[in-house]
Amino acid sequence: MAMGFLGFALFLFLSLDLDQGSPSSASAASSSSTSQNVEITYGTVLKLMHEKTKFRLHSHDVPYGSGSGQQSVTGFPNVDDSNSYWIVRPEPDTSAKQGDTIPSGTIIRLQHMRTRKWLHSHLHASPISGNLEVSCFGGESESDTGDYWRLIIEGSGKTWKQDQKIRLQHVDTGGYLHSHDKKYARIAGGQQEVCGVREKRADNVWLAAEGVYLPVTKRQFSAKYFIMHTYVT
């Protein structure tokens, strides 16, 4: 099991765009211990865990049957599904590079690892609760402001770390990324609705969980390293 996860981590790492060319060397460290003080940087591939229900933010190549008809986004109950991986990306046309830390208040994008589409929201109604629909949209060369989410760290933290509770506020609509125990009965049976809600609630808090965490870039060194972390719930 550990070797399989390590192989998948290596695949994820090699799939990333390296802004500064190929690394001269790389090493992988596997850890299932404490997540304290692990910085989240651009290029990190992670799962976001809904703090209240422990479901993972998830997408798959299944469109909504209502609203926008775009690729659906749900909360997934199992830990080991590869459709729950997201790549942390900056806004386009910024100076941010892979390996840079991410301060609270920064606008980020989340790219779905499997389909390469962006976590997106708009004014369409979500299928179950009628809140703001959250979907996946676009692709490598197609992204707009509907893909922009402001990182808000709960508490006193200044940069995003794995053990911190966060909220993601959609820039265009003001809605917070939200989930709850309202579940789909058919196509995504057993998965719960993910939507946008404009009020701060306990149900719109998330934590970084499993993933391949790229450490802070040391500009003076040519070597790059990455750290694989699991999250113990």
Side-chain angles (χ1 to χ4, degrees), residues 24-88:
S24 59
S25 64
S27 65
S30 176
S31 172
S32 58
S33 57
T34 180
S35 60
Q36 188 175 10
N37 295 324
V38 176
E39 295 270 10
I40 295 171
T41 61
Y42 291 118
T44 287
V45 183
L46 53 72
K47 295 182 181 182
L48 278 181
M49 182 180 72
H50 187 238
E51 197 263 341
K52 194 167 183 180
T53 65
K54 312 306 181 192
F55 279 46
R56 270 60 174 175
L57 184 69
H58 181 89
S59 190
H60 37 225
D61 194 11
V62 176
Y64 284 120
S66 61
S68 69
Q70 293 174 3
Q71 182 171 302
S72 57
V73 172
T74 64
F76 197 78
N78 299 330
V79 173
D80 58 352
D81 194 288
S82 61
N83 278 316
S84 301
Y85 280 108
W86 303 83
I87 309 170
V88 183

Side-chain angles (χ1 to χ4, degrees), residues 67-146:
S68 69
Q70 293 174 3
Q71 182 171 302
S72 57
V73 172
T74 64
F76 197 78
N78 299 330
V79 173
D80 58 352
D81 194 288
S82 61
N83 278 316
S84 301
Y85 280 108
W86 303 83
I87 309 170
V88 183
R89 302 287 198 193
E91 285 184 89
D93 305 319
T94 66
S95 60
K97 300 292 185 184
Q98 181 171 295
D100 286 353
T101 57
I102 308 172
S104 186
T106 301
I107 295 173
I108 65 170
R109 299 179 296 164
L110 291 177
Q111 186 177 30
H112 188 238
M113 182 71 197
R114 179 64 64 85
T115 64
R116 316 304 286 185
K117 295 184 178 182
W118 304 98
L119 187 69
H120 187 87
S121 191
H122 35 222
L123 297 177
H124 290 284
S126 62
I128 298 178
S129 63
N131 290 309
L132 299 168
E133 183 189 271
V134 173
S135 64
C136 269
F137 173 78
E140 295 285 4
S141 59
E142 184 181 8
S143 179
D144 61 27
T145 58

Side-chain angles (χ1 to χ4, degrees), residues 181-227:
D181 60 3
K182 295 179 174 62
K183 295 182 175 62
Y184 292 96
R186 291 188 291 177
I187 295 176
Q191 298 176 42
Q192 64 191 29
E193 184 184 56
V194 170
C195 57
V197 172
R198 288 193 174 99
E199 302 83 27
K200 279 190 176 183
R201 299 181 188 172
D203 277 333
N204 45 53
V205 175
W206 301 80
L207 297 98
E210 303 80 17
V212 179
Y213 287 79
L214 303 185
V216 179
T217 298
K218 305 298 184 184
R219 303 288 183 187
Q220 65 269 35
F221 297 115
S222 60
K224 289 181 183 283
Y225 302 89
F226 71 97
I227 304 171

Side-chain angles (χ1 to χ4, degrees), residues 125-189:
S126 62
I128 298 178
S129 63
N131 290 309
L132 299 168
E133 183 189 271
V134 173
S135 64
C136 269
F137 173 78
E140 295 285 4
S141 59
E142 184 181 8
S143 179
D144 61 27
T145 58
D147 309 329
Y148 292 4
W149 299 84
R150 189 177 304 280
L151 172 71
I152 300 171
I153 297 171
E154 296 292 294
S156 59
K158 292 183 169 47
T159 58
W160 191 7
K161 296 179 182 178
Q162 192 185 5
D163 60 328
Q164 291 169 325
K165 296 178 181 180
I166 65 160
R167 299 178 197 267
L168 292 175
Q169 185 176 28
H170 190 245
V171 171
D172 282 357
T173 65
Y176 293 95
L177 185 67
H178 183 93
S179 192
H180 41 214
D181 60 3
K182 295 179 174 62
K183 295 182 175 62
Y184 292 96
R186 291 188 291 177
I187 295 176

